Structure formats: C-alpha cells, structure tokens
Amino acid sequence: MIAILLAAALGSNGPISKFEGKAPEADYLSRATLGDIERCLIDMDGHPAPNVYRQADRPGRVTFIWVVDARARDRLDLEQRPDGVHVRSWIGSQQAKACAPS
C-alpha cells in the first residue's frame, strides 16, 4: 500500500510544475512596472484572486497561480529585467496583456 501511495505522489504534478511541460500562451517583455502588473493581476475581473509565490533569493521574480475547484487552472510568471518585465503566461494572452502590455 505504501508503495502505491509513493508512486502516485511521485507521478503527480504540483500547482507550479504542472505547467512546465506546456508551452506558454504568451512570452514577451512588458513596459509596465512589476508592481503595476502585480496589482492588476490580483484585482483582475473574471478571475479569482491568485496565489502569489516568491522566493527570498529571487526578489525580481514572482509566480501567480489561479486555483479553481482545488486545481491549478492558470499560471503567469514575471521576472524583472533591466529592459522591462519578462512575462510568461499560461492564461489567455489578452488577459495577460491587459495587465502587462508589451
């Protein structure tokens, strides 16, 4: 029984990693500031409030995950760069561009 549970756990993807094998719907550089994009995504109409993931050793990176019915539905990654904010989005490109215009 333990072997079956372990095999099931190893084969499942968490809310962030489940998107790794999928091509993003949008991948571009935005001229908006990181803070403005974050505020817009948290307050976006038609989406529940996202879970926001940050790591202390990567202050210029943030991942948003929208969970619906206990499943990760959408993901958007932001990374601050010298020339703007790099956006990788697994939500509709129009929704991403509403908050993070290119």
Side-chain angles (χ1 to χ4, degrees), residues 47-91:
H47 269 72
N51 294 298
V52 181
Y53 297 90
R54 283 191 168 72
Q55 293 176 259
D57 62 333
R58 298 176 179 174
R61 292 184 186 178
V62 61
T63 295
F64 293 84
I65 301 287
W66 285 267
V67 177
V68 176
D69 297 328
R71 294 190 174 168
R73 183 181 73 184
D74 298 318
R75 172 179 167 182
L76 188 134
D77 294 343
L78 302 173
E79 181 181 4
Q80 183 66 60
R81 294 186 175 171
D83 52 347
V85 177
H86 180 225
V87 178
R88 292 186 71 216
S89 173
W90 289 264
I91 63 176

Side-chain angles (χ1 to χ4, degrees), residues 14-15 17-18 33 37 43 49-50 58 60 87-88 90 95-97 101:
S17 62
K18 77 175 267 183
T33 68
I37 297 170
D43 197 33
R58 298 176 179 174
V87 178
R88 292 186 71 216
W90 289 264
Q95 289 172 309
K97 289 201 177 211

Side-chain angles (χ1 to χ4, degrees), residues 28-32 37 40-41 76 78 85 87 95-102:
Y28 63 94
L29 198 65
S30 176
R31 67 183 186 279
I37 297 170
C40 180
L41 290 170
L76 188 134
L78 302 173
V85 177
V87 178
Q95 289 172 309
K97 289 201 177 211
C99 289
S102 54

Side-chain angles (χ1 to χ4, degrees), residues 2-15 17-19 21:
I2 294 173
I4 293 171
L5 292 174
L6 182 59
L10 292 174
S12 65
N13 289 331
S17 62
K18 77 175 267 183
F19 293 92

